[in-house]
Amino acid sequence: MTKEIYTSHSKQLIPFYLSNTNYSDIEKLGIFEINKYSLTHLNPNICQKLSSKTSSEIGRSYALKLEARKLFDLPSNNSTIEFITRNNNTFYVKLRNVYLHIFETNVGFLEFEWEILADNMLDYLNANYFLNELKSNENKFYVKTGINEKKELNFIQTTQKIFDLIKNVEYFTNNSNNKLSNTLTLTYTTIMLNSKNENINDYLNKLKNNFKESYLTVESNNYHPFENLYWAGSLRGCVNISYLTGKQGPDTFLKNTIESYANNSYFYLYLLVLNQRFTIQKQIEKLSNIDKNLIKHDENVLDDEINNINELLIESNLFSTRCEFNLPSEIDHINAFYNEIRKNQKIDILTTDFNNKLKSTKDLLDNYKIIKTEKLNRKRNKFTLFAYILTEILGTIAIFKTTYEIIQIFSSLTNATNILLKVIPAIITVIFFISVAIQIWIKIKALLKTNKKSNTKNK
């Protein structure tokens, strides 16, 4: 069979979330070293986003030291690994590098960079598909240790060991079971073909969705900036396929320039967009947790959730200022690639979803604030009513006592005038009592009416 593939790279990314990002903790482990990309045609502030140790830095990229591979029972980066899939197909691969990318948003990615040793696209598609079942025990990996000896590699244990060292890792899964076996995996693939192939669009659609060869895909619009270069993306991955034309100028440019760009500047932008996607997803999850607590109608958690929503607002604004951008380059086709990846990762949809949920949560909080205030007012009104009644009663007793003393003074008098003087204070006292009773009733009625309106509004 004709050799179709000139060169290829396959990156596998496992997203995760940390309770707290601390670069020094990672660096103290002594097994990672700072990884810097060879960035070309990106704006200076974008180039400083990763591993720059400047104020613009939003994350750091690390490479696992070659000598640290032994700690995880990994072979050298030049060792050929026999890969037997769960359906008993055999492929050969090399694990070129292991990277760790961590952002200040607490989002991170563990990356395995593979070289799939396949000459044709049929084998490459199937190997890539099963390789991304890295968490499956059914796929087996072996490396030669002697002429007739080989050792099995366990990449599930290797991955788990790395995460155990990082500590406090939470996975992005499709269900509530926070286990490595359920985590999402993403791919970034670059392939250079020896010649033009009429099935390029089919390859793009399969690779961006991590489909194997047997999947039947439909035609879709993929980004095609140059005659011999294509890009495609989805929520599951990003793929670049180019082909040699047989012309010295274009082929030299492809081999010496585009391949490097694809694995540096373009991948770098892909990482930044993935950080945007998973950070917004986490913010939406935090909002959902706040809503769950509010639905419980527990007044005790209201102040805590108000603080949480304020912290999330600060976090969201900081993220938007530091991690989101529109023009990463002065080159149009690089900006077009960036916008395509943002569209593939549904960044605008996620942002709209977050903003809508944030508005709903804030409205819910405002409603609970009103309810809490009205409940407090009702308690105050009851106390006010009690104090008012008590004051009126005490005042009435005082007046009654004074009136009684006046009557006692005139009680010894016998003529008509003096009798009148006895009766008048008594009449005044009765009128006063009636007046006080009416005022108390009016006050009680007004308070009851206010409480009734408040209760009706809150239903």
Side-chain angles (χ1 to χ4, degrees):
M1 185 179 288
T2 305
K3 181 177 171 63
E4 290 182 88
I5 299 172
Y6 179 78
T7 186
S8 69
H9 298 273
S10 181
K11 298 175 180 287
Q12 180 189 56
L13 297 156
I14 301 175
F16 60 90
Y17 187 80
L18 295 171
S19 58
N20 182 49
T21 296
N22 192 328
Y23 303 128
S24 62
D25 288 346
I26 300 297
E27 291 162 13
K28 284 177 184 176
L29 294 174
I31 59 174
F32 292 103
E33 56 190 358
I34 291 289
N35 172 56
K36 290 196 174 184
Y37 291 95
S38 176
L39 303 176
T40 309
H41 295 307
L42 296 185
N43 293 332
N45 65 311
I46 304 300
C47 292
Q48 294 177 354
K49 293 297 181 185
L50 281 181
S51 304
S52 66
K53 295 187 177 181
T54 67
S55 59
S56 297
E57 181 188 71
I58 63 168
R60 288 188 188 173
S61 177
Y62 300 96
L64 182 68
K65 294 178 179 179
L66 294 179
E67 60 268 27
R69 285 182 171 234
K70 292 180 180 178
L71 296 174
F72 304 101
D73 203 27
L74 292 175
S76 71
N77 61 342
N78 284 319
S79 297
T80 299
I81 301 170
E82 183 181 11
F83 173 37
I84 303 176
T85 68
R86 54 184 168 80
N87 62 353
N88 292 319
N89 285 327
T90 300
F91 302 101
Y92 294 93
V93 298
K94 291 183 179 182
L95 181 60
R96 288 301 192 184
N97 289 291
V98 179
Y99 297 100
L100 186 67
H101 314 288
I102 297 179
F103 292 86
E104 65 184 17
T105 58
N106 298 326
V107 168
F109 303 91
L110 178 62
E111 176 196 337
F112 293 96
E113 183 182 52
W114 299 92
E115 181 183 353
I116 298 174
L117 305 176
D119 290 338
N120 62 81
M121 285 302 297
L122 174 63
D123 286 344
Y124 192 96
L125 289 169
N126 287 327
N128 188 72
Y129 172 82
F130 287 106
L131 196 59
N132 281 282
E133 292 184 336
L134 189 64
K135 305 175 297 298
S136 173
N137 281 314
E138 297 180 58
N139 297 318
K140 303 296 181 181
F141 298 84
Y142 300 94
V143 63
K144 279 189 174 183
T145 56
I147 298 176
N148 295 313
E149 296 178 351
K150 59 183 180 181
K151 178 179 69 174
E152 184 175 355
L153 306 174
N154 191 321
F155 280 101
I156 299 177
Q157 289 183 5
T158 297
T159 307
Q160 191 62 64
K161 280 182 182 178
I162 295 174
F163 281 132
D164 288 344
L165 282 175
I166 299 171
K167 296 180 181 178
N168 302 315
V169 171
E170 182 181 329
Y171 306 111
F172 288 91
T173 64
N174 288 318
N175 52 48
S176 58
N177 194 347
N178 184 39
K179 289 185 177 181
L180 179 61
S181 57
N182 295 319
T183 190
L184 298 175
T185 55
L186 309 168
T187 61
Y188 182 90
T189 306
T190 59
I191 299 174
M192 189 182 299
L193 301 176
N194 277 311
S195 62
K196 186 176 182 178
N197 191 306
E198 61 181 11
N199 297 315
I200 283 181
N201 273 305
D202 182 54
Y203 298 155
L204 289 166
N205 292 333
K206 285 183 169 71
L207 287 167
K208 74 179 182 182
N209 290 298
N210 193 27
F211 291 160
K212 57 184 175 180
E213 187 275 334
S214 58
Y215 282 66
L216 297 177
T217 63
V218 296
E219 189 72 22
S220 62
N221 294 322
N222 296 311
Y223 181 48
H224 188 188
F226 302 109
E227 179 184 337
N228 60 336
L229 189 144
Y230 301 77
W231 287 98
S234 75
L235 284 172
R236 299 190 65 183
C238 178
V239 56
N240 163 246
I241 295 181
S242 58
Y243 63 86
L244 299 173
T245 62
K247 299 177 182 178
Q248 184 177 0
D251 288 355
T252 300
F253 177 68
L254 200 65
K255 293 175 184 178
N256 298 340
T257 305
I258 293 297
E259 184 180 18
S260 175
Y261 283 6
N263 290 297
N264 285 276
S265 297
Y266 286 89
F267 177 67
Y268 179 89
L269 289 177
Y270 181 61
L271 268 180
L272 296 182
V273 173
L274 288 182
N275 174 53
Q276 294 171 14
R277 168 188 166 184
F278 287 100
T279 298
I280 300 172
Q281 282 186 208
K282 199 64 187 177
Q283 289 174 347
I284 292 173
E285 182 184 321
K286 289 179 181 178
L287 276 177
S288 297
N289 290 333
I290 291 173
D291 288 345
K292 285 179 185 177
N293 287 332
L294 290 176
I295 290 171
K296 295 175 183 176
H297 299 279
D298 185 353
E299 290 185 26
N300 296 324
V301 303
L302 182 58
D303 291 337
D304 289 338
E305 296 310 329
I306 290 173
N307 291 334
N308 288 338
I309 198 71
N310 288 334
E311 289 176 4
L312 188 56
L313 279 170
I314 294 171
E315 180 184 313
S316 174
N317 290 334
L318 191 62
F319 161 75
S320 181
T321 301
R322 291 176 56 78
C323 300
E324 293 190 306
F325 45 90
N326 292 319
L327 293 175
S329 172
E330 78 282 3
I331 305 296
D332 285 342
H333 64 79
I334 294 178
N335 291 327
F337 163 82
Y338 173 73
N339 290 329
E340 280 293 315
I341 295 303
R342 276 179 58 90
K343 184 169 68 174
N344 299 148
Q345 297 300 318
K346 317 297 182 190
I347 302 301
D348 289 341
I349 292 174
L350 286 169
T351 301
T352 300
D353 188 25
F354 172 76
N355 289 331
N356 289 339
K357 288 183 183 298
L358 179 62
K359 182 180 181 304
S360 298
T361 303
K362 289 172 71 176
D363 289 344
L364 191 58
L365 274 171
D366 290 341
N367 186 47
Y368 280 127
K369 286 179 186 177
I370 293 170
I371 293 172
K372 187 176 181 180
T373 301
E374 289 177 344
K375 285 182 178 179
L376 184 60
N377 288 337
R378 287 199 297 273
K379 290 179 181 178
R380 287 174 179 168
N381 288 339
K382 289 177 182 178
F383 176 78
T384 302
L385 176 60
F386 173 76
Y388 175 78
I389 293 173
L390 182 61
T391 302
E392 294 292 341
I393 291 173
L394 293 175
T396 301
I397 291 172
I399 293 172
F400 178 78
K401 183 175 180 294
T402 303
T403 303
Y404 178 77
E405 289 173 352
I406 292 172
I407 292 173
Q408 288 294 106
I409 292 172
F410 291 102
S411 62
S412 58
L413 302 177
T414 57
N415 58 43
T417 301
N418 292 337
I419 292 170
L420 185 61
L421 288 172
K422 294 178 186 179
V423 173
I424 289 173
I427 294 172
I428 291 173
T429 300
V430 171
I431 293 172
F432 178 76
F433 272 121
I434 294 172
S435 174
V436 169
I438 291 172
Q439 289 182 52
I440 291 173
W441 169 244
I442 292 172
K443 188 73 174 177
I444 292 173
K445 191 175 180 181
L447 289 172
L448 289 173
K449 187 175 181 182
T450 301
N451 288 343
K452 186 176 180 182
K453 283 184 178 179
S454 178
N455 290 334
T456 302
K457 183 179 179 181
N458 294 333
K459 285 183 179 180

